[in-house]
Amino acid sequence: MTAIGTLRNTTKDTLREVLTRLQTEGAALGHFNVADHVLLKAVIAAASETKLPVFVGASEGEREFFGAHQLAALVKSLRQELDVPVFLNADHTHSLAKAVEAANAGFDSVGIDFSALPFNENVARTKEAVQAIKAVNPAILAEGEIGNIGTGSEIHETAGGDFKLSTPEEARQFVEATGIDILAPAVGNMHGMLKSMVQGKAKKHLNIERISEIKQAAGTFMTLHGGSGTDDEHFRKAIAAGINIIHINTELRVAWRESLGESLARDADDVVPYKILRPVVDSVKKVVSSRLRLFHGQPVSSDAVGSVA
Ligand code: G3H
Ligand code: ZN
């Protein structure tokens, strides 16, 4: 069952076509996670404002809160009013059942994530999920993940963990053995933000040379997870080196929480949800628009993501 069809946009572009076009243009598709309608409205408003394509993502936890079918139906409805492509990704999917559920709900892609398992098991489970979702919808794109970049789009005290870089050889083997369309490697990226990053005192740095080597070996589209708090120049270089999709979540969550707090504090007697929540949408939209512009080589001011500082 493809509950909402193949989810083609009013622009009639498929996700594969948009990724191919952006790659030739030296740009990347911005992927932004949503857990509620406020975040979704903000991401859609940013796409509308910038006139740039956007990738809406929801992890298993976010889908559970939102409802996978409900999110897909909302995205389908919203994209009909937009003249830029909007796609939907089932981010960080850790089971075959959840991957198939997302495919049935009409998601454009599934981020299959068995990266916590030993390499051979990751290969076997990812391959099985790729075949299952493509049996539901042959047009769906499958992403597979290798390496450890930590978990949780949250604020962390320390980086922790053993974040070894993925190698070109494991990338080549993984792509060949699983049949994935998109590879998410570990290239110096990390999920979430350190407190110092939220305060704007530190930035994530990527291994650009390794991105180039993996791109050459894998020959697929590539996703950069854990984008929040990354140095702008490293984003630009990573795109030039072969990154096609960039995931941002924590920056949105920080903006969401800060602006919600401010909005609630403004008037203790205000009980009108759409008055309280409108500034939250605006604040998250600012972050998304700024990141989108950066990923498309447009100028952004250095404090553009200032609401997270
Ligand atoms: O899949 C989502 C992300 O990789 C987002 O990571 O919270 O560090 O931006 P982030
Ligand atoms: Zn991620």
Side-chain angles (χ1 to χ4, degrees):
M1 175 188 81
T2 48
I4 53 174
T6 53
L7 269 182
R8 281 179 79 91
N9 283 270
T10 48
T11 60
K12 299 287 182 284
D13 296 321
T14 64
L15 177 56
R16 188 184 292 281
E17 286 162 354
V18 168
L19 289 174
T20 304
R21 175 169 60 80
L22 295 184
Q23 183 159 259
T24 61
E25 291 171 357
L29 183 62
H31 173 291
F32 303 95
N33 288 70
V34 302
D36 72 356
H37 193 224
V38 168
L39 288 155
L40 177 61
K41 274 175 84 74
V43 173
I44 297 295
S48 173
E49 177 182 82
T50 60
K51 305 261 174 283
L52 292 169
V54 80
F55 210 177
V56 174
S59 64
E60 283 187 356
E62 288 161 336
R63 299 200 302 273
E64 199 182 317
F65 186 71
F66 211 133
H69 282 85
Q70 289 72 21
L71 174 59
L74 260 177
V75 168
K76 187 191 177 194
S77 158
L78 289 161
R79 72 179 18 157
Q80 278 161 5
E81 292 164 20
L82 277 184
D83 50 8
V84 289
V86 178
F87 299 104
L88 183 58
N89 177 46
D91 199 19
H92 292 297
T93 301
H94 302 292
S95 74
L96 183 63
K98 291 287 175 194
V100 170
E101 179 188 68
N104 277 325
F107 281 59
D108 299 286
S109 64
V110 178
I112 302 158
D113 184 3
F114 293 112
S115 59
L117 299 176
F119 186 78
N120 288 341
E121 245 179 284
N122 185 8
V123 167
R125 303 280 297 272
T126 301
K127 183 178 176 187
E128 180 187 31
V130 170
Q131 289 171 351
I133 60 172
K134 291 202 183 248
V136 173
N137 174 11
I140 202 166
L141 296 194
E143 179 187 280
E145 298 195 28
I146 52 172
N148 173 21
I149 62 160
T151 56
S153 286
E154 294 166 35
I155 298 168
H156 306 297
E157 288 291 337
T158 57
D162 173 24
F163 297 162
K164 272 202 245 63
L165 298 181
S166 301
T167 69
E169 182 50 25
E170 65 183 342
R172 189 194 61 73
Q173 278 180 27
F174 190 73
V175 170
E176 217 173 84
T178 57
I180 53 167
D181 307 287
I182 306 165
L183 176 70
V187 288
N189 45 338
M190 177 196 104
H191 277 125
M193 294 172 86
L194 301 179
K195 276 200 175 132
S196 54
M197 293 172 181
V198 176
Q199 292 158 354
K201 293 180 188 155
K203 298 279 179 197
K204 292 179 196 169
H205 293 131
L206 306 168
N207 190 315
I208 306 299
E209 203 183 325
R210 186 56 62 91
I211 294 172
S212 295
E213 291 165 354
I214 292 176
K215 183 74 171 188
Q216 229 182 339
T220 51
F221 294 125
M222 280 179 23
T223 298
L224 180 77
H225 280 262
S228 291
T230 302
D231 181 77
D232 284 6
E233 201 45 36
H234 278 239
F235 271 140
R236 293 188 189 99
K237 287 182 178 163
I239 295 166
I243 290 294
N244 304 98
I245 301 166
I246 300 177
H247 284 220
I248 303 278
N249 192 357
T250 313
E251 286 180 2
L252 275 58
R253 289 178 170 185
V254 171
W256 173 89
R257 190 192 157 102
E258 282 186 358
S259 55
L260 182 59
E262 281 164 19
S263 201
L264 287 169
R266 210 164 286 134
D267 179 358
D269 293 327
D270 191 352
V271 291
V272 183
Y274 55 80
K275 289 185 186 164
I276 294 167
L277 294 173
R278 197 169 286 134
V280 184
V281 173
D282 286 347
S283 162
V284 176
K285 184 189 84 172
K286 243 200 223 164
V287 176
V288 176
S289 290
S290 165
R291 286 321 199 185
L292 280 175
R293 290 192 175 102
L294 179 73
F295 301 158
H296 288 260
Q298 298 177 14
V300 286
S301 61
S302 53
D303 64 343
V305 188
S307 54
V308 302

